[in-house]
Amino acid sequence: VPSDFSVHTYPDPLSEVGVISVSIPHSANICISICDMLGRSMSTLYNGVAESGRTDINFDGSGFLNGVYFLTMRSCGIELHAVVSIVH
């Protein structure tokens, strides 16, 4: 079980489909969203309870234009960010 919260994506860059990997130290409600460079919310990718440990969430980037996006995970008053590059 991880001792802290973390989030990352692979592969990097994404071409079509990738995985968002989230690690949390205890079961908790998490919300994962993706925003464009201007901070506009593009999609909520996951909003629900995740068990402690690692949770992998499939991400289909085929509906997004090529570019750089920001992934945000919120849980237990913590907010983590990751950069997602999409290249088709």
Side-chain angles (χ1 to χ4, degrees):
V1 176
S3 61
D4 207 357
F5 291 82
S6 69
V7 61
H8 66 275
T9 62
Y10 58 90
D12 185 22
L14 296 174
S15 59
E16 294 282 328
V17 178
V19 175
I20 299 165
S21 182
V22 175
S23 295
I24 59 174
H26 52 79
S27 297
N29 187 55
I30 62 173
C31 181
I32 299 173
S33 59
I34 193 162
C35 296
D36 67 10
M37 292 288 289
L38 298 176
R40 295 177 295 208
S41 179
M42 303 300 290
S43 180
T44 297
L45 306 175
Y46 185 86
N47 190 9
V49 175
E51 297 300 319
S52 63
R54 180 175 151 177
T55 300
D56 289 338
I57 300 161
N58 292 326
F59 171 58
D60 181 0
S62 63
F64 290 83
L65 297 174
N66 289 345
V68 176
Y69 296 87
F70 296 104
L71 182 75
T72 302
M73 181 188 84
R74 292 179 183 89
S75 181
C76 301
I78 295 170
E79 189 170 291
L80 299 177
H81 302 277
V83 176
V84 179
S85 298
I86 297 176
V87 179
H88 298 287

